[in-house]
Amino acid sequence: MPFFYGIDTTYIIFVLPALIVAMWAQFNVNSTFNKFKTMGNRHGYTAHEVARKILDMNGLTHVAIERVSGHLSDHFDPKANVVRLSDSTYSSTSVAAIGVAAHEVGHAVQHATAYAPIKVRNTIVPVVQISSFAAFPLAIIGIIVANPALIWGGIILFSLTVLFQLVTLPVEFNASRRAIKTLDTAYILDENELKGAKKVLKAAALTYVASAAVAIGNLLRLLVLANGRNRD
């Protein structure tokens, strides 16, 4: 039964555990970054300098680097061809900041080399922006008014959100692998410093795994609720 004495058991079974993991993952990435933000690199490179160095090594001299406000708000903007590094990253010489910067440059390299998963993710982004907002309400309204078309329309739309989360995983993992490999082979970080950068990027990767788990949990919840409504 989806409900037990007025309690939505589908939320408790499918979503709540994933949300707890997601909260832990977010706490873990912040605590890991804070741990290694005090560990500098032997060359004294800033994250901005490392990002520029790796971009130039890959022939991406046209990709700019900008500073943005916030903490760990770092990202690559493919439309503007800009790597944006946050206040906590840009001028820092820590192995944590350098790992984050190299990861974002990894996304720029993915775009430049037409990495397949990122092409898939970019293709479905416009649809996901709509589906992530409308899918769940549409399905719930369909369940309430017992309209199968609305229910399955919402479920199909939300499935695109799940697909986006799943495709994001190889994109993020690959960007981190590229970052660590370059930091190692270009002798930007030494062995001990590299271990710190790896831990930061591993913690960040877990947040994407947790997000995917939350999305899958919500999809399973919708399927169970829809099945329950069909039985009624």
Side-chain angles (χ1 to χ4, degrees):
M1 292 292 291
F3 294 90
F4 183 75
Y5 290 107
I7 300 174
D8 184 356
T9 56
T10 61
Y11 182 85
I12 296 173
I13 295 172
F14 297 112
V15 182
L16 187 58
L19 282 176
I20 293 172
V21 172
M23 288 187 290
W24 172 83
Q26 190 59 52
F27 170 80
N28 183 53
V29 73
N30 285 320
S31 61
T32 303
F33 183 88
N34 289 335
K35 178 180 178 180
F36 289 100
K37 75 177 182 180
T38 59
M39 182 180 182
N41 69 92
R42 74 190 188 283
H43 295 297
Y45 293 139
T46 65
H48 167 262
E49 289 172 335
V50 169
R52 184 72 271 160
K53 180 181 179 69
I54 299 175
L55 285 169
D56 293 347
M57 285 170 54
N58 286 275
L60 301 179
T61 55
H62 61 287
V63 176
I65 303 173
E66 296 178 354
R67 185 170 188 157
V68 293
S69 61
H71 174 66
L72 296 181
S73 54
D74 312 83
H75 63 280
F76 171 64
D77 182 347
K79 292 183 179 179
N81 251 344
V82 173
V83 173
R84 297 194 173 99
L85 302 179
S86 65
D87 288 332
S88 56
T89 301
Y90 191 91
S91 298
S92 175
T93 59
S94 73
V95 298
I98 287 174
V100 170
H103 172 91
E104 296 308 328
V105 171
H107 287 311
V109 176
Q110 287 174 338
H111 279 273
T113 57
Y115 177 61
I118 207 165
K119 290 177 67 177
V120 173
R121 189 175 73 168
N122 289 343
T123 300
I124 63 177
V125 163
V127 179
V128 171
Q129 289 176 334
I130 298 173
S131 67
S132 61
F133 174 78
F136 216 88
L138 185 67
I140 293 299
I141 291 172
I143 290 170
I144 292 172
V145 301
N147 186 315
L150 290 179
I151 295 173
W152 289 103
I155 289 175
I156 291 171
L157 283 177
F158 195 78
S159 296
L160 293 175
T161 301
V162 174
L163 176 62
F164 176 81
Q165 294 288 351
L166 293 176
V167 172
T168 293
L169 295 180
V171 170
E172 297 299 330
F173 293 160
N174 179 264
S176 290
R177 282 195 297 271
R178 290 173 188 265
I180 294 301
K181 182 179 180 180
T182 302
L183 293 175
D184 184 19
T185 57
Y187 303 103
I188 295 171
L189 297 181
D190 65 25
E191 184 178 353
N192 191 47
E193 294 164 355
L194 201 62
K195 289 179 181 178
K198 282 181 180 179
K199 289 181 180 179
V200 170
L201 294 182
K202 182 179 179 180
L206 290 176
T207 63
Y208 292 100
V209 174
S211 294
V214 171
I216 292 171
N218 274 307
L219 179 60
L220 291 174
R221 180 190 178 203
L222 283 178
L223 290 170
V224 171
L225 288 173
N227 185 57
R229 171 55 67 183
N230 289 336
R231 288 181 180 178
D232 294 341

